[in-house]
Amino acid sequence: MPEQLPDKRLIADSFSRAAATYDQAAALQRTVGSNLLARLPVDFAPTELIDLGCGTGYFSRALHERFGQRVMGLDLAEGMLRHARQISPEVTQWVAADAEALPLRSNSQDLIFSSLALQWCPDLLLVLREAYRVLRPGGCLAFNTLLEGSLHELRTAWRAVDDFVHVNRFMVPAELESILAAAGFADWRCEVEEHTLHYQRLGELTHELKALGAHNINPGRPGGLTGRARLRLLTEAYERFRTTRGLPASWQVAQILMFKPI
Ligand SMILES: C[S@@+](CC[C@H](N)C(=O)[O-])C[C@H]1O[C@@H](n2cnc3c(N)ncnc32)[C@H](O)[C@@H]1O
């Protein structure tokens, strides 16, 4: 089965549909984005900043609070931007944009912040080169992304059912590091955080992924609904991972800071 990323139009539609449910389901997203924000140097004082793949704008507002500056939120999904605009009209400017082709002038930004968005981009090196172009000398790209091992329980459980693609493919650390090294930044660091969430029932995890807009839209996904028999097989396979805390869902998150040379 091919394991390339889904079509960008499908990604945008899926996240747009999830705009109203995203915030209630986004506990992990809040934790890892807050951890990324906390990694920024304490004396860093950007005046021009963007939140790339801003979704509902939670971190656009957090960036505004931390730095006291106007923040621009950019996202591929118009539905996310509409929602963000409604819940915080005063804080930011919301722009429909693709991280691989930013509608911004070169050398115009001090900080590009991006939490759990860039794993949706087919060409991460292209995104990093765009970020480099848009940043001013000394500017920072702070982003996080998912690595292999994320949702490995769900991927393994599906393998007991069929050979279709049900879970996105995530990079291995060596692949990510070689892309980071090729992007031209002077100084960069990457640290990996592991998070495990627990659920009492498999349906809680799959509903949460759907509410986040992160459910299965992969090329190679099966057509039609998941029948009862296949769902039972999936549930049985996932049950093998159960611990005293419930059904685990693992996430491997790379937290990255990159600085453009002065
Ligand atoms: C998991 S959400 C994260 C939202 C927000 N950063 C947060 O942490 O709550 C991922 C977001 O990335 C956006 N996205 C995906 N691909 C993108 C691209 N190529 N350019 C810009 N945004 C993109 C999606 O539309 C979605 O809103």
Side-chain angles (χ1 to χ4, degrees), residues 8 14 19 21 50 63 81 84 89 108 117 120 125 133 135 140 150-151 158 163 166 173 193 217 229 231-232 235-236:
K8 278 190 187 156
S14 178
T21 48
I50 67 174
L63 287 163
L81 294 169
S108 62
W120 292 101
L125 186 54
R133 177 186 69 75
L135 283 172
C140 175
S150 298
L151 290 176
W158 268 117
D163 289 330
H166 293 275
E193 286 176 5
I217 47 174
L231 207 52
R232 198 177 55 245
T235 306
E236 280 166 15

Side-chain angles (χ1 to χ4, degrees), residues 2-135:
E3 291 215 26
Q4 75 249 36
L5 278 168
D7 182 280
K8 278 190 187 156
R9 196 175 30 81
L10 289 180
I11 296 175
D13 288 350
S14 178
F15 279 108
S16 285
R17 275 196 303 277
T21 48
Y22 181 89
D23 282 326
Q24 297 99 44
L28 174 81
Q29 286 67 13
R30 297 296 176 253
T31 303
V32 301
S34 301
N35 290 352
L36 178 62
L37 197 53
R39 283 167 197 264
L40 289 172
V42 277
D43 57 351
F44 192 56
T47 55
E48 298 292 332
L49 50 159
I50 67 174
D51 180 10
L52 183 56
C54 61
T56 58
Y58 181 88
F59 288 106
S60 317
R61 294 185 289 279
L63 287 163
H64 174 73
E65 269 164 38
R66 168 147 173 197
F67 296 113
Q69 302 288 343
R70 192 174 160 82
V71 179
M72 192 190 292
L74 295 98
D75 203 284
L76 198 59
E78 299 269 2
M80 282 291 195
L81 294 169
R82 264 196 304 279
H83 188 81
R85 198 175 287 123
Q86 273 165 15
I87 55 179
S88 53
E90 73 296 354
V91 178
T92 51
Q93 195 182 342
W94 310 103
V95 178
D98 181 348
E100 291 183 345
L102 294 173
L104 297 169
R105 279 181 293 112
S106 301
N107 300 309
S108 62
Q109 303 297 316
D110 301 304
L111 171 63
I112 299 176
F113 179 93
S114 184
S115 192
L116 290 182
L118 302 187
Q119 72 277 2
W120 292 101
C121 295
D123 188 343
L124 181 61
L125 186 54
L126 187 57
V127 175
L128 299 188
R129 291 197 169 134
E130 265 299 81
Y132 188 94
R133 177 186 69 75
V134 160
L135 283 172

